[in-house]
Amino acid sequence: MQDLERGTNSGCNLLLVEDEFDLAELVEQALVDQGNEVTHAYSVFEAINLLRDGQFDAAILDIELRDGVVFPVADRLADLGVPYLFASAVYEQVVPARHQRARFVAKPFHIPQLQEAVNATIQKGRLGTQPNG
């Protein structure tokens, strides 16, 4: 559902994969403030398990997590047709070719910048233009 006054996508079910607790809390609140539901995973393992049971409209992925890099999660999202973006302090160049069409937001970022990127990713997914790996 789109909020025409703010140009945001509200009511989406989002997966946030971020292992920095303080940042995750800030990002989650910003996305909830836009009317979204956010499910938070702190690890690759947890995110993969959530994708087995849950359905998401989009995902926000940190690249380096405590238990490894997030690319297996991105692979699964691509297989499921779920749009995703990367929000990371890791250089964009480390993103494998199969995921380079996904949006990349460099840390540190401003919350409105991330919100805009999430909204664009959701819209892109709704238009069916998300890369499938």
Side-chain angles (χ1 to χ4, degrees), residues 37-102:
E37 283 189 40
V38 178
T39 301
H40 183 193
Y42 294 96
S43 67
V44 172
F45 178 78
E46 187 178 4
I48 293 290
N49 282 334
L50 287 170
L51 288 172
R52 287 190 182 118
D53 300 326
Q55 293 196 347
F56 299 96
D57 297 304
I60 303 94
L61 310 174
D62 186 12
I63 292 178
E64 285 189 348
L65 301 166
R66 295 166 201 243
D67 63 341
V69 293
V70 79
F71 302 124
V73 177
D75 291 339
R76 184 67 184 130
L77 289 164
D79 290 346
L80 294 170
V82 176
Y84 56 91
L85 65 89
F86 297 105
S88 181
V90 173
Y91 292 110
E92 188 172 3
Q93 293 87 338
V94 304
V95 175
R98 67 188 180 276
H99 298 299
Q100 286 185 355
R101 288 189 289 166

Side-chain angles (χ1 to χ4, degrees), residues 10 18 22-23 27-28 52 64 67-68 70 79 81 124 132:
S10 60
E18 171 62 63
D22 292 341
L23 178 59
V27 168
E28 184 173 348
R52 287 190 182 118
E64 285 189 348
D67 63 341
V70 79
D79 290 346
K124 187 176 183 181
N132 278 333

